[in-house]
Amino acid sequence: MRQEHPYSGPLSHWLYGIGIGLALFTGFGQMPIYKRYYLTDIPGLGWAADFYTTASLHYLAVALVLGLLAWRIGLYLRGVRIRWLWGPGTAWGWILFALLAASGLMKVLRNLGLYLPPPFIVTIDLVHMGSAMALMFTGLGVILSRRRRREKPL
Amino acid sequence: MKFSPTRRQLLKGGLAAAAGLAASGIPRPRSAGAAVGEPLCTVLDISRCIGCEQCVEACREQWQETVPDPVEPMPKPFPSRVPIEDWSKKKDVSDRLTPYNWLYVEHLSLTHKGEEVEVNIPRRCMHCLNPPCVDLCPFGASRVEKNGIVRIDPDICLGGAKCRKVCPWHIPQRQSGLGIYLDIMPSYAGNGVMFKCHRCTPLVAQGKLPRCIEVCPEQIQSIGPRDQQVKKAVALAKQKAKADGAGEERWRDYLYGLFENGGTNTIYVSAIPFHEINRALKADRAQWAQESGIKAPRRAKRAALAGRPLMGPVADTMAEVGNLTWALALAPVAGLAAGLGRLAAGKGGRKGGER
Ligand code: SF4
Ligand code: SF4
Ligand code: SF4
């Protein structure tokens, strides 16, 4: 049976889940689709129609995820080896995070007023959206396969 | 990569330059040609505008045909509440912004110091320094060029109208039934293309003046390098303030666009304070709403404002998001420090964990 190290406990797991969930929700919410598809009519979700709110929440959610991942890297560098129950577990996962971070960084700089050539912005927008979608589907795949494994114990 | 001098940073530079301006005269308008690639800013002295609308005509003549007609019949959007916006049969509308009309003139009468005065104000995109329509466009369709022009690429725009929603003046206007969304999932995503003033991008690229500037019989508008133009606008505003009996130090009241939304590349100068102009604009919209026959007051108000922007104070829309950059920068540092540092050492010195 898998032993759990204190760090891989439920708190970081929950925080990570909330961070990723909110980042994906507010990220996809940058496309004008939530209002169109009545999502913002659901009581309590009206804020999702405001693009400034979703952009700010996206920043905060990403800060949370970055903090957690950096913490994990810090532990790793210190020689603490943990089998994490959350976060990227494969090279593919880390590549997606790297792509998201690099393209996201460009967008953050642009939002501060940095001039970036327009075709470059189109590219980073596509990379950001594409890797977010890939991350979402990979994540869902991992969660579902874990469930299945749990249902049918070895 | 480098910080473009066209944007927010430059605003500050421009203002610093303006501070030491006292002795200099007002620079003459210069051709945009000399300034290709430089950040360009327009200054409009609306006290000289006679409201002849030659600028509007010139803009329409030059650009209306570049906006294609929509396909017939237009794809039915799903869900059905998604509005089709079709201006293709109303191309003659010139008293508001539409996809086929990127500039209109506001004709206003108001009472200033007990006297009835006429004010004419040409209105179009402000070409903000850090435009939310660009920053928040999810597809990179809306963009800032090196020379400070903000334009929407019609080949990329999907017509979701987010730019109009986040623009403090709600400038871009949608034409449904054209553009790339037709080739993707026309009923389920996208709804046309957004259009607005691109400050005559193709002409400016050839070193020519924008049409509305070129044809104006009163030469109320000039275009040139931003720092020069800011100096000029501030000097002019000081003159106006003095002439209005308000005192030079009230010059900010006679300017619009220099500070709005964190700074724009369109600076209006007026002989009447802009808060008075805005009050008159609001009254005009309220009257329009009342006469529109639209029953629901909120809908009437929205209709009155559509394509007819006000001139109220506008805070820097991207400031809040920008301030959160600190959270993004600090979070990984804090996380790394926590992982490397004492915080974790107490509990988990166990190397090798549970592998
Ligand atoms: S052409 Fe000049 S004077 Fe005539 S309406 Fe336009 S800006 Fe005003
Ligand atoms: S005025 Fe509106 S459309 Fe024009 S650049 Fe600013 S935010 Fe964009
Ligand atoms: S700058 Fe060009 S596109 Fe913009 S309003 Fe003037 S004529 Fe029209």
Side-chain angles (χ1 to χ4, degrees):
Chain A
M1 230 182 85
R2 186 189 293 137
Q3 270 189 353
E4 283 182 20
H5 188 279
Y7 301 141
S8 62
L11 180 65
S12 58
H13 203 150
W14 270 103
L15 286 177
Y16 179 78
I18 291 168
I20 286 285
L22 189 61
L24 284 172
F25 181 74
T26 51
F28 286 116
Q30 290 309 309
M31 287 184 284
I33 47 176
Y34 290 172
K35 189 163 181 217
R36 176 168 184 157
Y37 289 108
Y38 296 94
L39 215 97
T40 56
D41 292 344
I42 298 172
L45 275 185
W47 56 268
D50 183 89
F51 295 111
Y52 289 106
T53 305
T54 49
S56 294
L57 285 172
H58 192 66
Y59 272 48
L60 290 173
V62 170
L64 178 60
V65 172
L66 284 178
L68 286 166
L69 289 177
W71 173 61
R72 219 169 110 160
I73 292 169
L75 285 171
Y76 182 88
L77 292 177
R78 220 158 52 93
V80 181
R81 296 290 181 267
I82 295 166
R83 196 186 159 103
W84 297 95
L85 294 177
W86 55 266
T90 58
W92 166 243
W94 283 105
I95 289 171
L96 285 181
F97 267 95
L99 282 174
L100 276 169
S103 53
L105 174 68
M106 292 297 137
K107 284 159 81 87
V108 166
L109 294 176
R110 190 261 326 262
N111 290 353
L112 283 174
L114 177 84
Y115 172 80
L116 295 173
F120 182 62
I121 292 182
V122 176
T123 312
I124 57 172
D125 281 347
L126 287 176
V127 168
H128 202 70
M129 211 184 294
S131 40
M133 277 185 171
L135 184 88
M136 189 173 73
F137 288 122
T138 313
L140 280 178
V142 169
I143 290 170
L144 288 179
S145 69
R146 253 193 220 153
R147 275 254 160 91
R148 216 169 299 139
R149 239 182 292 146
R150 230 180 275 158
E151 275 160 16
K152 290 186 231 151
L154 295 175
Chain B
M1 252 181 298
K2 69 185 178 75
F3 271 95
S4 160
T6 63
R7 320 230 359 222
R8 192 180 301 172
Q9 292 71 24
L10 212 112
L11 170 72
K12 293 181 183 127
L15 281 176
L21 155 112
S24 68
I26 305 162
R28 294 300 310 152
R30 53 177 284 190
S31 151
V36 172
E38 291 176 44
L40 294 171
C41 176
T42 51
V43 173
L44 296 93
D45 177 1
I46 58 168
S47 65
R48 301 215 316 265
C49 176
I50 54 171
C52 65
E53 299 198 359
Q54 285 189 41
C55 50
V56 179
E57 262 326 297
C59 179
R60 291 162 62 85
E61 239 168 55
Q62 187 78 34
W63 304 119
Q64 195 180 71
E65 278 188 4
T66 65
V67 181
D69 282 324
V71 293
E72 300 275 1
M74 273 190 224
K76 259 205 160 111
F78 176 87
S80 56
R81 74 162 172 186
V82 175
I84 286 185
E85 289 183 56
D86 184 10
W87 288 92
S88 60
K89 315 245 170 6
K90 296 176 274 181
K91 289 186 186 174
D92 53 329
V93 171
S94 63
D95 62 353
R96 57 160 283 175
L97 301 173
T98 80
Y100 298 95
N101 190 68
W102 304 345
L103 166 69
Y104 79 101
V105 177
E106 190 77 54
H107 302 281
L108 213 55
S109 36
L110 54 106
T111 316
H112 176 61
K113 298 192 163 171
E115 260 180 60
E116 189 80 1
V117 275
E118 299 278 322
V119 183
N120 302 299
I121 317 164
R123 295 305 306 272
R124 51 151 170 86
C125 168
M126 303 286 288
H127 298 278
C128 304
L129 298 183
N130 191 17
C133 64
V134 171
D135 290 340
L136 298 179
C137 173
F139 311 109
S142 184
R143 68 254 319 254
V144 187
E145 302 295 344
K146 259 225 153 105
N147 57 9
I149 288 179
V150 181
R151 66 182 192 89
I152 298 170
D153 187 333
D155 295 333
I156 299 177
C157 176
L158 290 163
K162 184 184 180 187
C163 51
R164 177 171 64 195
K165 190 157 187 213
V166 297
C167 166
W169 296 279
H170 312 300
I171 298 284
Q173 300 293 318
R174 168 159 61 198
Q175 175 59 46
S176 301
L178 52 97
I180 193 178
Y181 90 109
L182 293 173
D183 302 327
I184 309 173
M185 295 190 292
S187 289
Y188 304 101
N191 190 4
V193 174
M194 307 303 294
F195 293 94
K196 67 170 193 72
C197 156
H198 51 38
R199 224 168 58 190
C200 293
T201 302
L203 298 179
V204 171
Q206 293 167 28
K208 295 184 182 154
L209 279 174
R211 289 292 288 142
C212 56
I213 300 183
E214 195 183 13
V215 300
C216 176
E218 302 297 317
Q219 294 286 296
I220 79 144
Q221 208 180 154
S222 66
I223 185 166
R226 182 175 170 79
D227 47 357
Q228 267 184 35
Q229 293 290 88
V230 168
K231 277 187 204 170
K232 170 181 169 164
V234 172
L236 202 54
K238 283 185 176 169
Q239 280 180 19
K240 303 282 183 204
K242 211 170 153 188
D244 197 34
E248 264 193 14
E249 65 287 356
R250 302 293 304 174
W251 60 272
R252 282 172 176 241
D253 295 351
Y254 297 79
L255 274 184
Y256 192 77
L258 181 55
F259 305 105
E260 277 63 37
N261 198 22
T264 79
N265 271 324
T266 299
I267 308 175
Y268 290 94
V269 185
S270 159
I272 295 167
F274 276 98
H275 53 83
E276 287 183 33
I277 290 179
N278 194 45
R279 202 182 307 138
L281 286 171
K282 277 185 175 162
D284 174 84
R285 303 305 185 257
Q287 194 186 342
W288 193 97
Q290 219 172 30
E291 289 167 2
S292 68
I294 303 172
K295 294 250 160 51
R298 273 179 65 186
R299 262 194 54 218
K301 196 176 160 207
R302 221 180 308 139
L305 289 169
R308 300 183 187 95
L310 298 175
M311 297 192 107
V314 173
D316 186 352
T317 46
M318 287 306 291
E320 190 187 312
V321 177
N323 287 340
L324 288 173
T325 308
W326 283 110
L328 285 179
L330 288 179
V333 178
L336 198 66
L340 283 172
R342 299 249 152 233
L343 243 132
K347 291 185 201 163
R350 283 181 268 164
K351 281 196 187 174
E354 74 253 26
R355 274 262 158 108

